Structures are given as structure tokens and as C-alpha cells.
Amino acid sequence: MTNIVDRLKELVKDGGVVTGADISSRATSYWDPSPTAAKALVRPGSTQELSDILRLCHAHDQSVVVQGGLTGVVAGAVSSKDDVIISLERMQALESVDEMDGVAVVQAGAVLQVVQEQLAERGFLLPLDLGARGSCTIGGTVATNAGGINVLRYGMMRNLVLGLEVVLADGTIISSMNRMLKNNAGYDLKQLFIGSEGTLGIVTRVVIRLFPLAKSRQTALFAATSFDAVVRMLKSMQSDLAGTLSAYEVMWGEYFSAVTGDAGHSAPMAPDYPYYVLVEAQGADPDADTDRFEAILERALESGDIIDAILPKSESERAALWVVREDFEPVLPAYLYDVSLPIRAMSSYVERLRAKLAAWNAAAVGLVFGHIADGNLHIFVRPCGDGAAHDECDAIVYGCLAGLSGSISAEHGIGIEKKAWLSESRSGAEIALMRSMKRLLDPKNLLNPGKVIDPAPPSR
Ligand SMILES: Cc1cc2nc3c(=O)[nH]c(=O)nc-3n(C[C@H](O)[C@H](O)[C@H](O)COP(=O)(O)OP(=O)(O)OC[C@H]3O[C@@H](n4cnc5c(N)ncnc54)[C@H](O)[C@@H]3O)c2cc1C
């Protein structure tokens, strides 16, 4: 049989097939600088071309890994030397914007920030927003059901996707480009693919729900003395800001001082408070919105719930606050976790976790921050070492979730890194159904094999 790479080169012209050093010169991911490994990297220019590629790979029993911006946190897009990589970097167009219905059609290879900016020029907000906005793709954010900083108001990517087009492992195109908020005509097939991390199909085009761009924005960084005060502030901002609260990002003091420490960002306020909150509201009435926002902060300063606050006066001052929350390079390398749990359990979870980490390794530090309104905490654990230490640390972080009705993955997915832990958060019946779905849609196990779930349970 002819070599699959030669067949792909016959099929995809104009440099669409990349091999050799042009692959290994690419980093494995944002998190892993080691060279990418693959037989070939193929860049289709259209859904039909991708369908032809997958049909060929299917006929040759060729495994395929789809990659977006490679910012995913769970090694879900990592390939091996035996895989063919699909990259949608030639499919980045904003195809259309329907201003009356507030709907955009975007190709899956488009970079999130580019689409956000294109839509903002037309007066629309694409509310999905995360620190990786400059690299992550629309397809990647759909495939991971990304969350980010605006979930408390607009939901995760799942809540913003009205329709999508996907190519199955055998090349079948499923065009489910619904544009309506309401469509109960049978099963909602798009939901199968949102959050499936490239294991059930390759997303090529997405119909996204848009919102009007805000006319006013209020931002503040404040410090609080207790977690109870942090939660009281969240509740009062949710109830008293007329629904405009869009972000409420909490940083435990140790995280804040670590990212603003030696060789880190400059600290916008004293680095020794117990909790910091970066809060943002977006509304339509600049004067009234600002008055309401500042009144809540003043009341909280008077009551003692907050002890310090900064309100940025320019976009550059605002950016200097956000960089402390979003750019965590100063604390790397570290193990990164992404758990969910009820807000009421967060403080005791963090205390229990810290005690267990200290008992495990006297030098271990857990740096905690997160989207607490979504029940989502991120934890960096330092120092980090080899595979065995990583496994032990996983057991501590996930073990402390026991009995809390939480999840080992709030927004990052499962990929390879959390696969062994899936049964902590999903029942046997749920996992069996996931396996059935994988076998139905990808019977040869060619799409992103080894990620999230195997088609059959491990043999004993
Ligand atoms: C600085 C930083 C901040 C981050 N903040 C957040 C955050 O706040 N919230 C959050 O949820 N995540 C966050 N992430 C994680 C990451 O950005 C998201 O998971 C993002 O959605 C990944 O998109 P990507 O295009 O980089 O996908 P990749 O990393 O390339 O791929 C991720 C997964 O999606 C699959 N995939 C990619 N494209 C497609 C496609 N077209 N069709 C089918 N499957 C596909 C891949 O096979 C892989 O399994 C952050 C990452 C970084 C580096």
C-alpha cells in the first residue's frame, strides 16, 4: 500500500502537508517546549478537504490528532511519531455576522482574540475570555468547553455555541449549523462534540451567540481579610450591580505574593493581605454603573470586609491589574490543578490541602486562585518533580475533594493528564456510556486515541 504521507501530499496541495523539521521545530504545547512528533501535519483549507483527509486516514487505519492553539492544560493535543496531526490554521475566517439576530459564523482555526476584536469593531461582544486568548482557537475552546473569566455572567463555551459543523473519523460531515436559541427538533447533537477534546469529531465551523458590546466598564482590585468577606462581597455585587457583574477572580495571598515576588510582576498593592479579588462589571449606563460599583466598595471598606482597593484610571492601569491574575509565568514550573467544589467548602478544602501537602513534602506550597463564583479553584503546587511525585501530588489534591461533590476537572478537561482520575468524578454507568459513544462515532479508535477515555475498559 502507498505510504499515507505520499497519499496525503497528492490530496492536499499548496504546502498543506508539513513533514520533518517543519514539524519538530514546533513546540509540543504552550506548557511543553519539546519538539512535536508526527508522521505529517496536514492543514486543510475547507471542511470538504478535511473530510477527504479523514476518509483517507480511515481507510489506512491512520490515527489523527487535531491541534488548535496548543494552550490546553491536560496534554489533550499531544501527538506521537505515529500520528497525523490536523491543524486548522488555514481555516481562520470570520465567515459572517448577522447583526439582527446577534449570531456569528466562525471557522474553527480562528484565534479567540482576533475574533473578539473583529466582532468588537461591529459593536458585538464574544463573552468567552481567558488568559490564553491570544493563542487559543475557537475550535479548541469548543473542544474543551472552555470557561474563563466571564462564566458567572455568560456561561461556558457550551452556552455560547448555537450550532457547529464537525467531521467524523470516517470523513462524514455533520453540518449542524443551527442559528436559533431554540431548536428542540430531536437530540441536540452539537452537545456531543462540545467538550469532547477531539475524540469524537473535528470541529470545522461554529455558530456563536453574540451580545451587545458594553458601554461602560468598572474594574477594581480589592483586598479582604477573610474568605467569608470575599463571599459576602460576591453576593452583594451579584445582587446590587443590576446584573452587570462579569468577572470575580479571587487570588489567595500566597498566589498574589508569588506572582508579584522576585522576578515577577510589580505589585499593584501591598503583597501581604490574605485575599485579593479582581472584579469587573460591564453595563450600559456609565454614570449610574460607576456610582453603584463605587458605593458597594465604599460600604465594604466602612464595614471592614475589604481593607484596600484600587480603581484603575486608564486601560494601561487596568491591564497592570489583570496581568497579576492572568500571567502566572513567574510561578512556573509547577503542577497545575483545576478543581470544582461548592463555594461553602472552598476555605476548608484549601486548609486541608495545605496541611496534606506540608505533611507530604515540607517544601511544597499550594498557590490558589480561581473563578470562585463558578465553584472553580486553580492550584499551582511547587516545587514539582518527576512522574512519581506528580502522581502523589494528584492523589493529595483529588483526595481532598472526597465527600465534597466536586470535580477533578472544572474547565480544563481530561486529556491524558487526568484520564486515570476520571472515575473520581463520573460513575461507572456514565463512563460506560462515554465508551459506547466513542465506539459508535469512532469504531477504529483513530481520533485522538488515548485521550479522555479508551473505547474498552482496561483488561485485568
Ligand atoms: C495562560 C493560559 C490561561 C488559560 N486560562 C483558561 C481559562 O481561564 N479557562 C479555560 O477553560 N482554559 C484556560 N486555559 C486552557 C486553554 O486555553 C483552553 O483549554 C483552550 O480552550 C484550548 O484551546 P486551543 O485552541 O489552544 O486547543 P489545543 O490546546 O490545541 O487543544 C485542546 C484540545 O482540543 C482538541 N481540539 C483542538 N481543536 C479542535 C477542533 N477544531 N476540533 C476538535 N477538537 C479540537 C485537541 O485535540 C485537544 O484535545 C488557559 C491556558 C493558558 C495557557
Side-chain angles (χ1 to χ4, degrees), residues 29-30 67-72 89 92 108-116 129-141:
S29 75
Y30 169 89
Q67 298 186 339
L70 296 173
T71 65
E89 58 204 51
Q92 300 202 22
V111 172
L112 174 61
Q113 186 173 357
V114 173
V115 182
Q116 286 173 332
D129 200 15
L130 48 148
R133 63 183 75 79
S135 305
C136 67
T137 61
I138 295 295
T141 57

Side-chain angles (χ1 to χ4, degrees), residues 337 339 349 352-361 364 379 381 389-402 421:
Y337 296 94
V339 297
Y349 171 78
R352 193 172 359 152
L353 175 62
R354 290 212 166 120
K356 296 250 182 205
L357 286 174
W360 170 58
N361 174 350
I379 305 138
V381 178
H390 201 166
D391 291 346
E392 286 168 17
C393 193
D394 288 356
I396 293 169
V397 173
Y398 300 140
C400 288
L401 282 177
W421 295 95

Side-chain angles (χ1 to χ4, degrees), residues 29-31 65-73 75-78 88 108-109 128-133 135-149 156 166 193 196-199 201-204 325-328 371 376 378 411-412 415 448 451:
S29 75
Y30 169 89
W31 308 93
V65 175
V66 55
Q67 298 186 339
L70 296 173
T71 65
V73 182
V78 173
L88 298 188
L128 182 81
D129 200 15
L130 48 148
R133 63 183 75 79
S135 305
C136 67
T137 61
I138 295 295
T141 57
V142 171
T144 58
N145 185 27
I149 57 180
M156 299 178 79
V166 71
F193 301 98
S196 69
E197 301 182 50
T199 61
I202 298 185
V203 178
T204 49
R325 161 60 185 83
E326 291 192 327
D327 182 4
F328 37 71
H371 322 282
N376 182 188
H378 296 308
E411 58 178 10
H412 290 165
N448 216 1
K451 316 289 168 46

Side-chain angles (χ1 to χ4, degrees), residues 7 34 130 168 182 192 194 200 221 248 319 337 345 406 438 458:
R7 296 292 306 274
S34 61
L130 48 148
L168 303 185
K182 292 182 171 176
L192 267 182
I194 301 171
L200 299 181
L221 175 72
Y248 195 85
Y337 296 94
K438 174 71 175 165

Side-chain angles (χ1 to χ4, degrees), residues 77-98:
V78 173
S79 56
S80 79
K81 64 178 179 32
D82 299 321
D83 296 323
V84 163
I85 294 171
I86 301 292
S87 168
L88 298 188
E89 58 204 51
R90 286 182 164 179
M91 294 183 66
Q92 300 202 22
L94 171 58
E95 290 187 352
S96 65
V97 179
D98 183 328

Side-chain angles (χ1 to χ4, degrees), residues 2 117 131 190 405 421 443 452:
T2 327
E117 289 171 0
K190 67 176 180 287
S405 311
W421 295 95
V452 186

